[in-house]
C-alpha cells in the first residue's frame, strides 16, 4: 500500500467559530469546535448546555477519525431526525472530521415544521463553519530552511510558485523558515531551494506528519 493510501488527506476545523441565523423569530446559534476524541466532544457539548442553560434546545453532532469512524448526533428534544441528523449530514457532506458542533435554539413562538427545522439546523451549521477556520490536513515533510537576507526574496518566490506552506519564520542574524509540503515532493523541493539560493541555504528535515494546508 502506497503512502497516499496510508496517509490520505482529510479536512477538519483548525479554529472553531460561531454563527447565528434567525428563522421565524427562533434563534439558532451554532458553535463549532475541533475535537479529537469522543470524550472531548462530550465535554464540549456539556459545556454548551451549561452556557446556554436557558435555551429551548442544544442539539449536537460530531465526527471523529480521519475517515469519520465515529459519528454521533442528538436532537435534544426536537422531533426525531429534524436537528442532530441534518447537522451531522452537513459535516459529512463537507468531509469534515474531528469536529463537533452544537446548535442552540431559542424558540421564537412559531412552529417551523419538520422541513423547516431540518433546513434551519443545517443552515446554522453552515454558518458556524463559515466563521471557523477549516483546513485540509496533508501528510508531509516539515523542513527548516536557514538563509541570509539577500536570499529571502528568492525563497519566498519559490514558496509561492510551488504552493509551499510557511509554518513559521524567525528573523535574526539570518532568517529561519519552517516549511511544510507533500512528503512525496521532498527531494524535488530541497533541490529547488538549493538551486534558487545557489546552495547557500541550510536545510534540515524536522519531521514527517500531518500539517495544515491553508492554501
Amino acid at each position: 500500500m502506497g503512502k497516499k493510501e496510508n496517509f490520505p488527506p482529510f479536512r477538519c476545523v483548525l479554529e472553531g467559530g460561531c454563527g447565528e441565523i434567525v428563522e421565524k423569530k427562533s434563534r439558532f446559534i451554532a458553535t463549532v469546535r475541533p475535537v479529537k476524541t469522543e470524550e472531548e466532544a462530550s465535554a464540549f457539548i456539556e459545556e454548551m448546555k451549561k452556557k446556554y442553560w436557558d435555551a429551548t434546545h442544544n442539539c449536537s453532532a460530531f465526527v471523529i477519525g480521519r475517515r469519520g469512524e465515529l459519528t454521533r448526533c442528538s436532537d435534544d428534544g426536537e422531533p426525531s431526525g429534524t436537528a442532530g441528523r441534518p447537522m451531522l449530514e452537513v459535516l459529512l457532506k463537507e468531509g469534515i472530521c474531528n469536529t463537533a458542533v452544537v446548535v442552540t435554539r431559542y424558540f421564537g413562538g412559531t412552529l417551523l415544521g419538520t422541513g423547516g427545522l431540518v433546513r434551519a439546523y443545517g443552515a446554522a451549521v453552515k454558518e458556524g463553519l463559515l466563521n471557523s477556520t477549516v483546513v485540509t490536513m496533508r501528510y508531509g515533510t516539515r523542513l527548516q530552511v536557514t538563509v541570509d537576507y539577500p536570499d529571502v526574496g528568492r525563497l519566498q518566490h519559490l514558496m509561492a510558485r510551488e504552493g509551499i506552506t510557511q509554518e513559521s519564520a524567525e528573523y535574526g542574524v539570518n532568517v529561519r523558515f519552517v516549511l511544510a509540503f507533500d512528503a512525496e515532493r521532498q527531494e524535488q523541493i530541497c533541490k529547488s531551494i538549493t538551486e534558487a539560493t545557489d546552495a547557500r541555504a541550510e536545510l534540515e528535515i524536522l519531521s514527517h506528519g500531518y500539517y495544515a494546508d491553508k492554501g
Side-chain angles (χ1 to χ4, degrees), residues 34-51:
V35 293
K36 292 183 179 179
T37 65
E38 185 174 6
E39 289 73 23
E40 283 185 19
S42 298
F44 162 61
I45 293 166
E46 288 304 312
E47 177 188 333
M48 290 300 100
K49 285 183 176 181
K50 289 179 181 178
K51 178 178 180 179

Side-chain angles (χ1 to χ4, degrees), residues 123-178:
V125 174
K126 291 177 183 177
E127 190 67 22
L129 290 173
L130 284 175
N131 292 306
S132 303
T133 303
V134 180
V135 298
T136 298
M137 302 296 293
R138 302 186 186 280
Y139 187 83
T141 298
R142 280 187 176 84
L143 176 71
Q144 180 175 281
V145 182
T146 305
V147 294
D148 292 325
Y149 282 87
D151 286 321
V152 169
R154 296 186 182 93
L155 181 59
Q156 289 175 331
H157 176 74
L158 174 66
M159 289 159 54
R161 189 186 74 202
E162 297 288 344
I164 298 171
T165 296
Q166 176 184 309
E167 291 198 333
S168 65
E170 295 180 14
Y171 293 84
V173 176
N174 45 31
V175 186
R176 182 175 297 166
F177 294 93
V178 174

Side-chain angles (χ1 to χ4, degrees), residues 2-208:
K3 185 174 293 181
K4 286 187 176 180
E5 288 77 16
N6 284 329
F7 302 102
F10 62 94
R11 299 182 74 216
C12 66
V13 170
L14 188 65
E15 295 179 10
C18 295
E20 180 177 340
I21 66 167
V22 178
E23 189 70 30
K24 295 183 179 179
K25 298 184 180 180
S26 277
R27 294 175 61 204
F28 294 84
I29 306 165
T31 307
V32 180
R33 183 173 296 180
V35 293
K36 292 183 179 179
T37 65
E38 185 174 6
E39 289 73 23
E40 283 185 19
S42 298
F44 162 61
I45 293 166
E46 288 304 312
E47 177 188 333
M48 290 300 100
K49 285 183 176 181
K50 289 179 181 178
K51 178 178 180 179
Y52 296 108
W53 60 270
D54 58 340
T56 316
H57 305 281
N58 284 290
C59 305
S60 59
F62 62 84
V63 180
I64 304 292
R66 297 200 301 261
R67 296 176 176 84
E69 291 89 346
L70 177 62
T71 63
R72 294 282 189 275
C73 61
S74 169
D75 295 313
D76 193 39
E78 291 280 31
S80 179
T82 63
R85 189 67 203 180
M87 292 166 58
L88 180 60
E89 288 296 338
V90 173
L91 297 179
L92 295 175
K93 186 175 180 180
E94 294 290 332
I96 295 174
C97 62
N98 292 346
T99 299
V101 59
V102 173
V103 175
T104 301
R105 182 190 182 189
Y106 286 93
F107 183 55
T110 302
L111 296 175
L112 301 184
T114 56
L117 288 172
V118 168
R119 288 189 294 271
Y121 277 101
V125 174
K126 291 177 183 177
E127 190 67 22
L129 290 173
L130 284 175
N131 292 306
S132 303
T133 303
V134 180
V135 298
T136 298
M137 302 296 293
R138 302 186 186 280
Y139 187 83
T141 298
R142 280 187 176 84
L143 176 71
Q144 180 175 281
V145 182
T146 305
V147 294
D148 292 325
Y149 282 87
D151 286 321
V152 169
R154 296 186 182 93
L155 181 59
Q156 289 175 331
H157 176 74
L158 174 66
M159 289 159 54
R161 189 186 74 202
E162 297 288 344
I164 298 171
T165 296
Q166 176 184 309
E167 291 198 333
S168 65
E170 295 180 14
Y171 293 84
V173 176
N174 45 31
V175 186
R176 182 175 297 166
F177 294 93
V178 174
L179 310 179
F181 46 84
D182 191 288
E184 296 182 345
R185 300 171 63 202
Q186 177 178 309
E187 184 176 346
Q188 174 247 318
I189 294 294
C190 289
K191 181 179 178 182
S192 295
I193 293 173
T194 299
E195 291 176 350
T197 60
D198 293 327
R200 289 185 294 270
E202 296 179 14
L203 309 182
E204 179 185 351
I205 294 174
L206 299 178
S207 63
H208 293 92

